[in-house]
Amino acid sequence: MKWGIQQLLSKKHEQAFNIEGDADVSEMVERDKELRDISAVHVQGEGTIVEETFHVHLRLTGTMILPCARTLADVHHPFDVEMFEAFRLDGMPADEENVNEHEPEDGFVDLLPYIKENIFLEMPLRVFAKEGDGEPLAPQSGDDWRVISEDELIKEREQEAPKVDPRMADLSKYFDKGSS
């Protein structure tokens, strides 16, 4: 998704040309601690050159994995982003008021940074895992712990015999007699 200025200017007399492919944006995971993983982004759209300006209208689709705001479980969040960018090919500075107009860098138009930026802008602040996905929303066990129901808790307590220190055995008999 990178073209030289001369390569684009040679397409000036053509109608719109198709842009389609997959972009690897996996390095976005390193930039944002909330983003656990992201699939390759499918890029589909068209580019046109109008009066020395390269206009790009793209649709970005993919899936990102984010932590659930309640349980920190992985949530697969699909995204579908429309983006429009324009690049000045005539060497003139880009209009500062138009945030979608840019200047080529080192003689090349590279869409990858703008693709990443548009995905970051569409990333939700919080996501929540949905019930009924077949898996529990939160971990059900861990190091030296597990989630149990109230009935299981009662059964476990009934099975445990009260452990009395042998040195206090006579004293515990005293309290047993006093309670009956």
Side-chain angles (χ1 to χ4, degrees):
M1 312 259 163
K2 187 174 185 178
W3 300 274
I5 293 175
Q6 295 303 321
Q7 185 181 8
L8 290 171
L9 288 174
S10 69
K11 297 182 181 195
K12 182 177 182 178
H13 301 293
E14 295 180 22
Q15 296 288 335
F17 59 93
N18 288 334
I19 300 171
E20 187 165 355
D22 291 331
D24 179 23
V25 293
S26 57
E27 62 199 35
M28 289 175 61
V29 175
E30 297 169 10
R31 283 185 52 195
D32 190 337
K33 64 181 179 179
E34 289 293 313
L35 184 61
R36 292 184 176 168
D37 197 14
I38 187 165
S39 68
V41 177
H42 184 70
V43 179
Q44 184 177 7
E46 64 180 23
T48 56
I49 299 176
V50 179
E51 299 177 8
E52 307 290 322
T53 303
F54 176 47
H55 297 273
V56 181
H57 187 264
L58 299 175
R59 181 177 183 190
L60 314 172
T61 55
T63 304
M64 59 179 76
I65 299 177
L66 301 166
C68 173
R70 285 189 205 112
T71 64
L72 298 179
D74 286 349
V75 177
H76 294 266
H77 179 73
F79 60 89
D80 189 350
V81 179
E82 297 269 339
M83 70 177 261
F84 176 79
E85 304 293 336
F87 296 88
R88 298 290 306 249
L89 302 178
D90 58 3
M92 300 298 291
D95 183 12
E96 291 181 14
E97 291 181 14
N98 186 354
V99 295
N100 292 333
E101 189 173 87
H102 313 285
E103 298 172 24
E105 293 182 24
D106 299 326
F108 288 94
V109 172
D110 187 8
L111 295 180
L112 193 58
Y114 302 99
I115 289 171
K116 292 176 189 176
E117 178 182 345
N118 278 279
I119 293 170
F120 271 128
L121 291 173
E122 291 295 321
M123 203 165 91
L125 295 176
R126 299 187 308 176
V127 294
F128 297 99
K130 295 178 184 172
E131 293 283 344
D133 289 340
E135 294 182 23
L137 296 180
Q140 299 299 303
S141 63
D143 294 337
D144 300 328
W145 69 273
R146 66 184 170 90
V147 176
I148 61 173
S149 67
E150 189 173 348
D151 293 336
E152 288 176 293
L153 179 64
I154 291 170
K155 286 179 185 176
E156 283 184 11
R157 286 186 178 167
E158 288 174 354
Q159 290 175 353
E160 291 178 5
K163 297 178 183 173
V164 178
D165 187 349
R167 295 173 290 180
M168 301 290 181
D170 291 337
L171 185 58
S172 69
K173 290 177 188 174
Y174 173 76
F175 287 114
D176 287 339
K177 290 178 186 174
S179 64
S180 54

